[in-house]
Amino acid sequence: MLTAKEQYEMDMLARQVTIQNSQTKISRNLANVELYRTVVQPIEADRARLFDAGTDLFKLALQSAFVLNGGALVALPALAAIPGALDADQQLFSTGELLGAAAWFLFGFVLAAAATLFGGLSFRALSGSRAEERNKEAEFVNASSDGREPPEFDETALNKFNSRAQLYYYMALVNWIGSYLVFSANTLVLIV
């Protein structure tokens, strides 16, 4: 049996160990907060920038598609009336040529819209990739703060997002170039 003094010393020693363990845990948590701040937050900020860039791309590409191909569609009736509004034999373009041009400008408009869609999907996939990366880093930080073994980084989901982003990017690029080629070729056909 312990004396009161020995019991008191044992209690004080146990409290000191508890305080020391708490201080160690606090220090470890502060280190993990710093790790989170330096690793995970920049990834999140990068993801947000990519998402904003995707949104801006949607707006810009749709505006240019409307202006180029839509403006050309609006201008076609004016071309029909240029030289001889009253005399059909003197008209610069036949109705068939103008309808053909309208169909091609409409096709260019559709290609530009598809390019916008795929470009936006590409940025969304990149954003998803960054979110997946952020989640993995957060899991690592949480495991470290709990004293657990950090999980192994499985790149399957990350690779899925990255390959989708690449596919969408190339699809957007092909449609974007196609839209401008259709617009340019159709304009040259009308001019020449």
Side-chain angles (χ1 to χ4, degrees):
M1 176 141 295
L2 295 174
T3 65
K5 183 178 180 184
E6 290 173 340
Q7 184 63 39
Y8 175 76
E9 288 175 358
M10 292 285 283
D11 289 344
M12 290 304 289
L13 185 60
R15 285 183 187 150
Q16 286 177 349
V17 169
T18 302
I19 290 171
Q20 191 174 25
N21 286 341
S22 296
Q23 287 174 341
T24 303
K25 189 172 183 178
I26 289 170
S27 296
R28 191 175 18 186
N29 286 342
L30 287 174
N32 287 329
V33 166
E34 182 63 22
L35 180 65
Y36 180 83
R37 188 183 67 73
T38 57
V39 174
V40 178
Q41 283 181 338
I43 293 171
E44 180 61 24
D46 188 37
R47 186 201 64 77
R49 280 192 301 274
L50 285 172
F51 186 79
D52 290 343
T55 304
D56 291 344
L57 178 69
F58 272 128
K59 292 176 187 174
L60 181 63
L62 278 178
Q63 288 171 352
S64 65
F66 277 115
V67 169
L68 285 178
N69 292 295
L73 281 169
V74 170
L76 286 178
L79 289 176
I82 289 180
L86 299 177
D87 189 2
D89 293 335
Q90 294 181 3
Q91 283 185 336
L92 188 58
F93 301 104
S94 71
T95 305
E97 290 174 321
L98 290 176
L99 288 176
W104 280 107
F105 283 131
L106 186 61
F107 179 63
F109 183 81
V110 169
L111 285 176
T116 302
L117 173 69
F118 288 124
L121 289 173
S122 176
F123 277 106
R124 286 194 63 157
L126 283 174
S127 177
S129 172
R130 294 300 181 258
E132 185 66 26
E133 191 175 342
R134 181 202 68 221
N135 291 340
K136 296 297 180 187
E137 293 296 334
E139 287 176 22
F140 179 82
V141 169
N142 288 336
S144 298
S145 69
D146 294 342
R148 293 181 285 134
E149 183 71 24
E152 199 172 302
F153 190 76
D154 181 20
E155 294 186 12
T156 307
L158 192 62
N159 290 338
K160 180 178 82 172
F161 281 117
N162 287 335
S163 35
R164 276 187 192 168
Q166 191 173 23
L167 173 69
Y168 292 145
Y169 168 78
Y170 286 118
M171 291 173 76
L173 185 63
V174 166
N175 281 291
W176 190 264
I177 290 171
S179 172
Y180 285 103
L181 286 176
V182 167
F183 173 79
S184 300
N186 202 20
T187 303
L188 285 174
V189 167
L190 287 176
I191 292 174
V192 176

